Amino acid sequence: MKVKTILVSQPEPKIENSPYFDLTEKHKVKIDFRPFIHVEGVTSKEIRQEKIDLNNFTAIILTSRNAVDHFFRVAEEMRFKVPDTMRYFCQSEAVAYYLQKYVVYRKRKIYVGKRTFSELIPLIKKYKDETFLLPATDKLKPLIPELLDGLKINWTQGTFYRTVISDLSDLEKVTYDILVFFSPSGIESLFHNYPNFKQNDTRIAVFGNTTIKAVEAKGLRVDIAAPTPETPSMTMALAKYIKDANKK
C-alpha cells in the first residue's frame, strides 16, 4: 500500500532544514507531528520531600535539555543561587550547548561526553571527590544508576520532572498510513488513549531496540526499524520504505 500520511509522535522540529521537511517535499507525503508524551516539572516542595538540598552539591550531571531546564527552574523556585564553582557534566554537545541558556559557557566548568551516558563516565571518574546531583525524569534508564554506582562516588538522584501521557482523544477518527514511535512511553500512550487499538494496514515505524520490544509486547507488527547500518536515522528509514512502497 502506498504511503500518503505519517504521524510522528514527537513535537514538530523547530529547525527549517529538518530532514522531515525534505521527506515531505521529495516524496509528496503529509507528515503531522503530535507528542504522545510530555514532560511536567516536579514542584520544589516535592524536591524537598525527596530530601534534596541544592547547597550540598558541587557537580550536576545533565542527561538532556529537560534536565537542564528543570534543574534551573527548581533552583530559581528555591531561590538557590547556583555557584560559579559548580561543575556541569553534560551527556552530549547538544546538552552542553543548551546549558548556555542559563550560564556563561566560557566562565564555567563544563565537561562534555560524546553521545551516550557510558561515554560520560570517564569524565565523571576524574572528579570522584565531587558531590554529584543527577536531576532526572521518573523514567530514568536503569543503566545510568548502575554506571554511577559502579564508580563508588557520592551521588544523588532527584526526580525533577515526570513523563506524562498526552491526551490524544481528538485523533480518534483520524487515520495515518504510518505511525512513528521513539520510546516505549509512546506505545504506552497509544494504548492508554486507545485500549482497543488494532494495527490492520497501519505501518509502524520504531527507533531503538527497547521501542521494538514494546511494540511487539503489544502484539503489533514492526514494519520500519531504525537505526540500522543502512538507515541510521528515522527519516532515512522512512525515505527508503516510502520509495519502495510508492513505487509498487
Side-chain angles (χ1 to χ4, degrees), residues 90-98 105 112-115:
C90 302
Q91 181 168 321
S92 67
E93 278 188 13
V95 175
Y97 182 75
Y98 189 71
Y105 199 87
V112 186
K114 291 179 181 175
R115 190 176 59 86

Side-chain angles (χ1 to χ4, degrees), residues 14 23 25 49 108 168 170 185 191:
K14 291 180 180 176
L23 204 63
E25 201 170 306
Q49 287 170 349
R108 298 295 182 269
L168 306 173
D170 58 308
S185 299
F191 279 90

Side-chain angles (χ1 to χ4, degrees), residues 7-13 20 32-36 180-182:
L7 178 63
V8 178
S9 60
Q10 282 190 334
E12 184 170 347
Y20 282 107
D32 289 337
F33 297 89
R34 180 67 178 273
F36 276 40
V180 183
F181 295 97
F182 292 86

Side-chain angles (χ1 to χ4, degrees), residues 67-234:
V68 175
D69 279 336
H70 290 285
F71 168 72
F72 284 98
R73 174 188 58 80
V74 168
E76 187 177 350
E77 285 178 14
M78 290 183 166
R79 294 184 179 147
F80 171 74
K81 187 180 185 304
V82 183
D84 295 349
T85 54
M86 185 71 79
R87 297 185 191 274
Y88 301 93
F89 292 83
C90 302
Q91 181 168 321
S92 67
E93 278 188 13
V95 175
Y97 182 75
Y98 189 71
L99 190 58
Q100 293 182 88
K101 182 178 175 183
Y102 298 95
V103 302
V104 181
Y105 199 87
R106 58 187 172 80
K107 292 185 178 179
R108 298 295 182 269
K109 297 168 182 175
I110 299 169
Y111 311 89
V112 186
K114 291 179 181 175
R115 190 176 59 86
T116 66
F117 193 80
S118 304
E119 292 166 325
L120 185 60
I121 290 297
L123 291 171
I124 296 172
K125 198 174 181 180
K126 286 181 181 178
Y127 296 90
K128 292 182 78 167
D129 295 333
E130 302 293 334
T131 306
F132 295 89
L133 172 66
L134 176 72
T137 171
D138 59 329
K139 296 188 185 298
L140 187 66
K141 292 177 183 175
L143 175 67
I144 293 175
E146 286 170 16
L147 289 170
L148 292 173
D149 285 340
L151 290 177
K152 302 288 190 289
I153 58 172
N154 184 0
W155 78 281
T156 301
Q157 177 182 333
T159 300
F160 278 55
Y161 55 101
R162 296 190 182 96
T163 303
V164 180
I165 287 171
S166 301
D167 179 8
L168 306 173
S169 55
D170 58 308
L171 295 178
E172 189 170 2
K173 294 180 180 177
V174 184
T175 58
Y176 290 90
D177 297 322
I178 299 177
L179 299 179
V180 183
F181 295 97
F182 292 86
S183 71
S185 299
I187 305 299
E188 184 187 341
S189 174
L190 174 68
F191 279 90
H192 177 86
N193 280 279
Y194 305 106
N196 300 317
F197 175 78
K198 297 285 187 295
Q199 183 172 2
N200 299 325
D201 293 329
T202 303
R203 271 63 56 88
I204 290 181
V206 297
F207 192 90
N209 290 330
T210 55
T211 316
I212 290 173
K213 287 175 185 174
V215 170
E216 292 175 342
K218 290 291 187 182
L220 302 179
R221 180 185 71 250
V222 174
D223 299 285
I224 305 157
T228 67
E230 188 182 0
T231 56
S233 71
M234 176 53 76

